[in-house]
Amino acid sequence: MAQADSMEQSSTSNHRWRGSRVGITGARGALGQALASRFRQACAVVTGFTHGDPPSGTDGPVDHWVSWSCGQEEALMPHLENLDVLVLNHGINPQGDQRPGTMSKALEVNALSSWRMLQCCERLCHEHATHALEVWINTSEAEIQPAVSPAYELSKRLLGQLVSMRGATRSAEERSQLVLRKLVLGPFRSDLNPIGVMTADFVAGQVLWQARMGARLIIVTPNPMTYLLMPLTEIGRRLYSRALSRPDR
């Protein structure tokens, strides 16, 4: 947290993202809007992907809107191939609802749709060898600790493990074409969590600052244990995946 003040002062003057084409899923939420604002301040062009109807008018930090639904990730390929950075930020939080239908929806929205979009991005990079892309995946602190929402925790842990596994088993060429950054975020204020201790704008600023520094595992939380446990968890997953990887079988 000590870097917050310096980050605030430099976010608008740094042009690491100048001219970048950035896509953000869940762009109508608190964090999506904050990320869009930060990218716009850094002179990027922002496309917002939304499950609802695109907002009317031209106000706001998003330059273009695209409507989509989970399960229709393939239809987004024409939009994805024009991006330099894709932030997978969409999700739902059912709180204490653990009915089978709710669990299935949480797994679909929070984990499987992002997994399919990641595969779409990998295919694009493979088909267009000169195209480099960054994919930032918001898995949250729920990967490693309770979030008072069993369905949310389960789905985010699944997504986090899928991303760790894929990151561990990609070739050097695949890693150079597609950069994966995992966002592990603590509680921030939003419609899903009105009592979060951080603001969405602060979180967005920290995310861009750490990405600008080259971090692949981006952690923003007031919980000091996460800064210890999450890297250890990530190392353990990667070692396990690499040890058991048999791509020729």
Side-chain angles (χ1 to χ4, degrees):
M1 297 296 185
Q3 299 92 348
D5 291 340
S6 60
M7 178 278 300
E8 293 286 354
Q9 294 172 2
S10 64
S11 62
T12 57
S13 61
N14 182 278
H15 295 300
R16 161 67 174 81
W17 317 109
R18 176 185 290 276
S20 295
R21 299 160 298 178
V22 178
I24 303 174
T25 66
R28 298 185 68 174
L31 182 59
Q33 286 287 292
L35 286 168
S37 294
R38 289 284 181 159
F39 274 116
R40 279 286 299 276
Q41 290 172 12
C43 304
V45 178
V46 180
T47 297
F49 295 94
T50 177
H51 281 74
D53 295 327
S56 58
T58 58
D59 293 336
V62 175
D63 296 287
H64 313 288
W65 287 97
V66 175
S67 294
W68 72 292
S69 297
C70 290
Q72 299 177 359
E73 290 77 18
E74 292 282 342
L76 293 177
M77 293 284 277
H79 302 284
L80 299 179
E81 67 183 5
N82 295 319
L83 298 178
D84 300 301
V85 179
L86 173 64
V87 185
L88 297 177
N89 172 63
H90 61 284
I92 59 172
N93 188 345
Q95 304 296 336
D97 190 345
Q98 300 173 55
R99 292 172 295 177
T102 301
M103 298 293 287
S104 296
K105 184 176 181 181
L107 289 170
E108 175 68 21
V109 175
N110 291 349
L112 299 180
S113 65
S114 289
W115 174 243
R116 289 192 294 265
M117 290 187 78
L118 175 57
Q119 291 177 303
C120 287
C121 291
E122 289 195 311
R123 189 161 69 253
L124 281 171
C125 290
H126 178 72
E127 294 172 354
H128 306 282
T130 59
H131 180 63
L133 176 64
E134 293 192 15
V135 179
W136 304 4
I137 304 173
N138 181 5
T139 67
S140 105
E141 243 180 357
E143 265 202 77
I144 58 170
Q145 65 183 34
V148 200
S149 177
Y152 183 78
E153 294 163 15
L154 178 63
S155 57
K156 287 296 188 177
R157 287 169 189 168
L158 172 59
L159 177 60
Q161 288 187 302
L162 286 171
V163 174
S164 297
M165 178 184 67
R166 189 67 193 107
T169 56
R170 293 188 305 153
S171 67
E173 181 181 1
E174 289 172 325
R175 289 196 297 272
S176 66
Q177 289 181 326
L178 190 149
V179 174
L180 288 181
R181 301 190 196 278
K182 180 184 284 191
L183 314 182
V184 180
L185 309 179
F188 58 88
R189 288 191 290 279
S190 67
D191 290 339
L192 297 180
N193 183 14
I195 58 173
V197 297
M198 300 182 291
T199 66
D201 180 67
F202 173 79
V203 172
Q206 286 287 303
V207 166
L208 265 68
W209 177 74
Q210 292 187 40
R212 195 165 67 240
M213 297 298 104
R216 301 294 180 96
L217 178 61
I218 295 175
I219 303 173
V220 186
T221 177
N223 184 354
M225 290 301 296
T226 303
Y227 292 93
L228 172 65
L229 296 178
M230 193 63 229
L232 292 175
T233 299
E234 196 74 2
I235 291 171
R237 288 174 180 171
R238 286 174 178 265
L239 291 175
Y240 181 76
S241 294
R242 288 174 181 171
L244 297 179
S245 178
R246 299 293 185 273
D248 55 335
R249 295 183 183 179

